[in-house]
Amino acid sequence: MSRFSQPDPELGHRLSRRGMLGVAAGATAAALLGAAAPANAATGTTAAAGNATPVTASGAKGRGRPVLPPGRLGIQLYSLRDKVSTLGFGPVFAELERYGYDEVEFAGYTQGSAGPITLAQLKRLARNHGLNPIGSHVGYYSDDPNAYTFAQNLTKVLDDAQALGLKHIGTASGPFRYGSTVDAWKRAAEDFNTYGAAARARGMKFYQHNHSEEFSFATDNPKVRLYDVLLKETDPDLVHLEMDIYWAYVGQFRFSKRPDGTPAPFEPLNYVLRQPDRYPLFHVKDGESDPSNPYGYTMTDVGDGDIDYQRFISAVTRLRGHRLAHHWQAEHDNPAESFTFARRSSAHLHSLREKC
């Protein structure tokens, strides 16, 4: 049963990930790989609200050092699930290589209608295109004892991650398995510590990817933010976080007041700056500010929205010893055209420069 009393697009998004890449076909391969993209397809904009200066893949906004560290731009393959399903991983990886990506994060290891592939083949295919498989999303738990989740099949999940050479293995499921109370999240934290210990024994890091609900308040103590319970009750050496920056700012919009209306502001970036070692991975997802939207933003391609990625990425990578300590995965839950999204997002992020 859902913990939400009304239909929630976030919940629908999380549940849709359980199907991973088993989605229906879109356009034909010839159309997808054709060269008939709009002339401005590789054009992005600055992320700062009210300062939408166009940039291109070959251009550079400013003359400072690139904001994006070398070798650290990835993409969450959930954003390209339609292409993987129709074309297979090979053509998708070839496009990502062209767009300047360094890494990929998986959302399933099958190709849908594009045909079967082994983990060894998948690993080799990524490497052949200069892409480092950096992580993967797997479900947290299920009522099905045979489900491919951490709770039901931890050994199999870790075996597959190890076969792919992943350094990180995580879940995009929220820690709501036992409810929304403080004790419920303490129980979920115990689960995560268990998975983290098992992953660490294999040389990997376990991580949890947030949506906005993680920043809501405990139902039995509305003064307590649930995300703070997760941070406090998980072992920082065992449990890591992948901040989805878009959903964190949605959380800021939705949960900057407690249920009684008293202010409870927070800044997502400050969570990272206080504990940067806990955030090896990020989802770089953009949104156009829309206060009329109950989520505060409308999701866009990276560079078309109002999240200031020049500021955010710079603040993290300027920390001593952290220039190359984090991985930045572009993502859009439902892009209008997924190759266009991937190309434009890469162009925008590569164009950002440090302020002199």
Side-chain angles (χ1 to χ4, degrees):
M1 180 180 294
S2 169
R3 64 185 183 278
F4 301 101
S5 59
Q6 301 180 32
D8 180 8
E10 265 193 79
L11 178 62
H13 166 67
R14 287 195 293 274
L15 292 177
S16 72
R17 282 186 184 268
R18 293 181 184 176
M20 298 301 179
L21 295 173
V23 295
T28 65
L32 291 171
L33 293 173
N40 64 347
T43 301
T45 60
T46 63
N51 184 26
T53 304
V55 296
T56 65
S58 59
K61 185 164 66 72
R63 296 183 177 181
R65 180 179 68 169
V67 166
L68 192 70
R72 290 297 185 268
L73 178 61
I75 192 166
Q76 166 53 253
L77 290 171
Y78 183 77
S79 305
L80 295 158
R81 60 197 181 277
D82 60 326
K83 303 299 192 292
V84 173
S85 180
T86 54
L87 304 177
F89 284 108
V92 170
F93 288 170
E95 288 298 290
L96 295 178
E97 182 180 19
R98 287 181 54 213
Y99 302 158
Y101 284 93
D102 310 296
E103 301 175 334
V104 289
E105 182 184 32
F106 290 100
Y109 311 135
T110 63
Q111 302 191 105
S113 59
I117 188 170
T118 67
L119 294 178
Q121 289 171 329
L122 185 54
K123 179 181 179 181
R124 184 166 57 251
L125 195 59
R127 302 288 184 178
N128 288 346
H129 288 287
L131 298 169
N132 179 31
I134 194 63
S136 181
H137 284 188
V138 176
Y140 169 15
Y141 67 94
S142 171
D143 293 333
D144 178 0
N146 297 313
Y148 189 78
T149 63
F150 282 95
Q152 276 66 46
N153 277 292
L154 177 60
T155 299
K156 174 61 174 171
V157 167
L158 296 181
D159 284 347
D160 289 350
Q162 200 164 24
L164 279 167
L166 301 182
K167 296 299 183 184
H168 308 83
I169 180 70
T171 184
S173 303
F176 291 95
R177 181 181 186 180
Y178 307 108
S180 300
T181 65
V182 172
D183 283 344
W185 274 52
K186 286 182 178 181
R187 289 183 64 190
E190 290 177 6
D191 287 348
F192 285 6
N193 284 333
T194 298
Y195 310 150
R200 185 178 182 181
R202 307 266 197 126
M204 293 179 283
K205 292 180 178 179
F206 170 80
Y207 64 95
Q208 193 266 344
H209 163 288
N210 65 276
H211 292 82
S212 73
E213 283 290 328
E214 281 86 338
F215 297 95
S216 63
F217 299 94
T219 54
D220 61 332
N221 188 346
K223 292 183 179 180
V224 175
R225 196 180 300 280
L226 288 171
Y227 196 69
D228 296 335
V229 177
L230 178 66
L231 286 169
K232 181 180 179 181
E233 298 297 330
T234 51
D235 186 331
D237 292 328
L238 302 178
V239 177
H240 298 82
L241 290 308
E242 176 180 61
M243 179 174 281
D244 186 304
I245 299 166
Y246 169 87
W247 285 121
Y249 279 103
V250 171
Q252 181 192 57
F253 177 86
R254 296 181 67 194
F255 303 113
S256 284
K257 290 184 179 179
R258 296 185 180 88
D260 65 1
T262 57
F266 72 94
E267 166 55 52
L269 177 58
N270 288 343
Y271 275 105
V272 182
L273 298 183
R274 284 194 294 264
Q275 299 186 64
D277 292 330
R278 296 207 73 176
Y279 293 88
L281 304 170
F282 293 91
H283 273 190
V284 180
K285 185 186 299 180
D286 213 345
E288 193 173 0
S289 180
D290 180 7
S292 67
N293 183 323
Y295 285 79
Y297 292 87
T298 300
M299 199 176 294
T300 66
D301 290 354
V302 179
D304 287 349
D306 297 316
I307 297 176
D308 190 345
Y309 278 110
Q310 192 280 341
R311 168 181 172 265
F312 195 104
I313 299 175
S314 291
V316 177
T317 57
R318 282 179 171 177
L319 295 172
R320 187 184 180 97
H322 283 271
R323 174 72 174 160
L324 298 174
H326 307 273
H327 304 266
W328 306 89
Q329 317 293 307
E331 188 186 31
H332 191 310
D333 293 352
N334 293 291
E337 207 296 310
S338 55
F339 276 155
T340 300
F341 153 74
R343 181 173 62 250
R344 296 181 73 238
S345 298
S346 175
H348 175 73
L349 291 168
H350 278 110
S351 77
L352 296 178
R353 294 293 184 269
E354 299 277 8
K355 292 181 180 179
C356 298

